[in-house]
C-alpha cells in the first residue's frame, strides 16, 4: 500500500473500549476535519451530536476520506450493544482509461 504523509498515522484499525474513548476520538476527528486533513463524506449524525444525551440512535457512523490520497475511514458504534471501532479502507485505485 502506498504511503500518505497526511493519513498514515490513522491507518490502524482500532477497537474502542469505552464511550469516553469514543468521544475523545470524535474530538480529535473534529479538529482533523477543521484542519483540512480529512473531510466527512457521509454520516448518520453530525459529529457534535455524539456529545448529546441520549445518543442519536442505536448505531452511528461517520465516513471520512483523506484529502491528499483519498483513503476512506469509518468511525462507527453500536450504541445499543456498546461496541465501536475505527476502520480503514484501501487506497482508491486510479481510474483506467477504457480503449475506444
Amino acid at each position: 500500500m502506498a504511503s500518505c504523509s497526511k493519513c498514515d498515522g490513522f491507518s490502524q484499525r482500532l477497537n474502542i473500549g469505552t464511550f469516553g474513548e469514543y468521544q475523545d476520538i470524535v474530538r480529535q476527528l473534529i479538529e482533523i476535519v477543521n484542519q483540512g486533513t480529512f473531510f466527512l463524506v457521509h454520516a448518520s449524525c453530525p459529529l457534535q451530536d455524539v456529545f448529546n444525551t441520549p445518543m442519536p440512535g442505536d448505531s452511528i457512523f461517520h465516513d471520512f476520506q483523506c484529502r491528499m490520497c483519498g483513503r476512506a475511514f469509518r468511525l462507527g458504534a453500536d450504541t445499543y450493544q456498546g461496541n465501536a471501532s475505527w476502520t480503514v479502507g484501501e487506497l482508491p485505485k486510479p481510474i483506467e482509461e477504457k480503449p475506444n
Side-chain angles (χ1 to χ4, degrees), residues 33 38-45 47 60-66 71-76 86-87:
V33 167
F38 288 168
F39 64 94
L40 186 60
V41 178
H42 190 240
S44 60
C45 66
L47 281 166
I60 57 174
F61 70 90
H62 295 87
D63 292 334
F64 299 90
Q65 195 165 9
C66 175
R71 183 183 289 157
F73 300 87
R74 174 171 271 211
L75 180 66
W86 171 256
T87 54

Side-chain angles (χ1 to χ4, degrees), residues 28-60:
Q28 292 173 33
L29 286 166
I30 289 170
E31 183 62 29
I32 291 163
V33 167
N34 288 341
Q35 291 172 359
T37 301
F38 288 168
F39 64 94
L40 186 60
V41 178
H42 190 240
S44 60
C45 66
L47 281 166
Q48 292 78 6
D49 285 5
V50 172
F51 303 103
N52 295 345
T53 303
M55 288 293 286
D58 288 343
S59 65
I60 57 174

